[in-house]
Amino acid sequence: MGDLGIWAAWAAALTSAATLVVTTVVGGRREHRLWVRDALTDAFVAFLEASWQHSDLFHAQSGQSESPPAGATEAYAEMRSQLTRLRLLASGNVLRACEELLRQQRGVAEAGAGADRRAALARVSELRRKVVAAAKTEMGL
């Protein structure tokens, strides 16, 4: 009977160790996925907020001046910074959408006041929706 008890104890110990390893590996992967998703969400939100800020500044200017409004350069720089974070975390489809939006934001700044700028802002709005769709796909939403 003593040998049977020893084998049962060993079996229980091995089962416990195996369960611990599997739980640690699965839990670690889950935590990593959650971290990546949170980091992506933060980067997408910051990127899009900077895009909105940039557009709002030019929209508020409403053709009064050819020069960029105060704060526009900083908003564009924030978009570039967040794009760097996205390059580390996101897929190629997302990056292409974000890069296209960033280029168009630059186009807003370079467009003359009036109809050209309004058209550039309209294109930014379309591209922002494209970024949101790509972000949702990336995050499985």
Side-chain angles (χ1 to χ4, degrees), residues 58-77:
F58 277 98
H59 192 38
Q61 193 180 37
S62 68
Q64 299 168 359
S65 173
E66 294 286 328
S67 63
T73 302
E74 292 81 1
Y76 186 81

Side-chain angles (χ1 to χ4, degrees), residues 8-65:
W10 273 105
L14 287 174
T15 301
S16 178
T19 301
L20 178 64
V21 168
V22 169
T23 302
T24 301
V25 169
V26 170
R29 287 182 183 159
R30 185 179 313 126
E31 286 298 318
H32 179 73
R33 281 193 308 271
L34 288 174
W35 177 85
V36 168
R37 186 176 180 157
D38 286 347
L40 271 170
T41 301
D42 291 346
F44 283 132
V45 168
F47 182 80
L48 290 168
E49 282 179 348
S51 172
W52 276 111
Q53 181 185 13
H54 187 267
S55 293
D56 288 348
L57 289 167
F58 277 98
H59 192 38
Q61 193 180 37
S62 68
Q64 299 168 359
S65 173

Side-chain angles (χ1 to χ4, degrees), residues 37 41 44 132-141:
R37 186 176 180 157
T41 301
F44 283 132
V132 169
K136 284 182 173 183
T137 299
E138 181 82 4
M139 294 187 296
L141 301 175

Side-chain angles (χ1 to χ4, degrees), residues 27-138:
R29 287 182 183 159
R30 185 179 313 126
E31 286 298 318
H32 179 73
R33 281 193 308 271
L34 288 174
W35 177 85
V36 168
R37 186 176 180 157
D38 286 347
L40 271 170
T41 301
D42 291 346
F44 283 132
V45 168
F47 182 80
L48 290 168
E49 282 179 348
S51 172
W52 276 111
Q53 181 185 13
H54 187 267
S55 293
D56 288 348
L57 289 167
F58 277 98
H59 192 38
Q61 193 180 37
S62 68
Q64 299 168 359
S65 173
E66 294 286 328
S67 63
T73 302
E74 292 81 1
Y76 186 81
E78 177 63 16
M79 285 183 71
R80 288 181 53 142
S81 176
Q82 295 305 322
L83 183 59
T84 299
R85 287 179 65 201
L86 289 168
R87 283 187 175 111
L88 297 171
L89 298 166
S91 70
N93 290 336
V94 170
L95 294 177
R96 282 187 289 280
C98 290
E99 288 167 349
E100 190 175 3
L101 176 57
L102 183 69
R103 280 191 297 274
Q104 187 59 39
Q105 292 285 174
R106 174 62 117 190
V108 167
E110 293 171 350
D116 289 343
R117 185 164 290 157
R118 284 190 300 276
L121 285 166
R123 179 72 176 134
V124 160
S125 183
E126 292 171 19
L127 292 173
R128 202 177 289 120
R129 284 190 291 276
K130 185 177 174 181
V131 167
V132 169
K136 284 182 173 183
T137 299
E138 181 82 4

